[in-house]
């Protein structure tokens, strides 16, 4: 079992920054990569970024490329999402997720590729 807990959400004005954290526990050696997603009510969950546990390669969605940065601290089993230049349309519940080892990703930022999920942290950006 793998547990994932997000933190760092909150309210910020447009143009501001937030850093989200996701701490993984349990069988963390079984994680191939971790990613960040967001969702607003009535819309599909959107993949934002992922990072591979070994090597640190990253993938970003076009909607956040250049503004958001994913990083990891493998010693702490923690993944971060640094969010800069935030916009009101970034308001959403943000989730982290993990992919088990042995799974070859076909669509790297598709939610169905991920097996382990956190409970989410709310981000609200006001204009």
């Amino acid at each position: 079992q793998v547990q994932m807990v997000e933190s760092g959400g909150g309210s910020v004005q447009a143009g501001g920054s937030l850093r989200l954290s996701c701490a993984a526990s349990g069988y963390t050696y079984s994680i191939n990569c971790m990613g960040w997603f967001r969702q607003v009510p009535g819309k599909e969950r959107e993949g934002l970024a992922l990072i591979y546990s070994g090597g640190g390669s990253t993938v970003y969605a076009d909607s956040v490329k250049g503004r958001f940065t994913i990083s990891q601290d493998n010693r702490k089993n923690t993944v971060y999402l640094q969010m800069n230049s935030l916009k009101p349309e970034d308001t959403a519940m943000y989730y982290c997720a993990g992919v088990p080892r042995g799974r070859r990703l076909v669509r790297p930022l598709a939610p169905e590729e991920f097996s382990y999920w956190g409970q989410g942290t709310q981000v609200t950006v006001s204009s």
Side-chain angles (χ1 to χ4, degrees), residues 8-27:
S11 298
V12 64
Q13 289 192 328
S17 299
L18 282 174
R19 189 177 82 152
L20 306 183
S21 300
C22 174
S25 61
Y27 296 130

Side-chain angles (χ1 to χ4, degrees), residues 100-115:
R101 289 193 182 280
R103 178 175 296 173
R104 183 175 179 178
L105 296 181
V106 176
R107 299 172 58 208
L109 293 177
E112 56 266 29
E113 299 275 12
F114 291 73
S115 298

Side-chain angles (χ1 to χ4, degrees), residues 16-119:
S17 299
L18 282 174
R19 189 177 82 152
L20 306 183
S21 300
C22 174
S25 61
Y27 296 130
T28 57
Y29 61 85
S30 66
I31 298 174
N32 180 25
C33 63
M34 293 175 66
W36 285 97
F37 295 77
R38 66 186 179 191
Q39 189 170 25
V40 297
K43 292 192 175 181
E44 294 185 353
R45 192 164 292 190
E46 177 189 11
L48 304 176
L50 73 80
I51 186 166
Y52 286 90
S53 300
S57 297
T58 57
V59 177
Y60 291 95
D62 288 343
S63 59
V64 301
K65 198 174 294 183
R67 296 191 300 127
F68 291 8
T69 302
I70 190 170
S71 61
Q72 63 186 355
D73 184 338
N74 287 335
R75 295 170 301 172
K76 297 181 180 179
N77 294 317
T78 299
V79 172
Y80 305 96
L81 186 68
Q82 177 67 43
M83 306 186 295
N84 298 328
S85 302
L86 283 163
K87 307 173 183 179
E89 51 263 44
D90 293 317
T91 295
M93 184 70 78
Y94 283 69
Y95 300 89
C96 70
V99 176
R101 289 193 182 280
R103 178 175 296 173
R104 183 175 179 178
L105 296 181
V106 176
R107 299 172 58 208
L109 293 177
E112 56 266 29
E113 299 275 12
F114 291 73
S115 298
Y116 313 124
W117 289 89
Q119 295 300 306

